[in-house]
Amino acid sequence: MARRDLSGAVDFGVLEAMTGGDDVISEEVLALFVQQAGLWSPLLDVRHEGWRDAAHTVRGAAAGIGAGALAEACAAAEAADKAQAPPLLDRVRDALDVALADVAAWRHELMLRSLRA
């Protein structure tokens, strides 16, 4: 993946504003996002009692890196009742996949920048 592969699912300007443009900190934050996604994504299913907590946690992590569409999808799922949640959680998982692809491309860009420095 490379910067040209970015879909726009993540506004990395949000991340850069939060980290002060420090690539090392940006990498750490993105690594934590990927880790959180791995931990919480299996719970994004109404068969798990913690599905609402998972949506809430992913929403916060998404907002922190600039993944607005993912954060919005999480908010909608989190607010839904259990009967309405399954298709909304499908949207969360889809948005998470797209955001993770953008994160992978951006992390690749950060790695390339570090090699140039």
Side-chain angles (χ1 to χ4, degrees), residues 34-88:
V34 171
Q35 182 182 26
Q36 288 291 310
L39 291 171
W40 290 98
S41 62
L43 299 177
L44 294 169
D45 186 315
V46 294
R47 293 175 290 183
H48 294 282
E49 190 173 312
W51 68 268
R52 198 179 307 274
D53 292 333
H56 178 78
T57 301
V58 173
R59 180 180 74 164
I65 66 163
L70 174 57
E72 290 174 14
C74 289
E78 184 181 359
D81 64 33
K82 188 174 181 178
Q84 296 172 330
L88 298 173

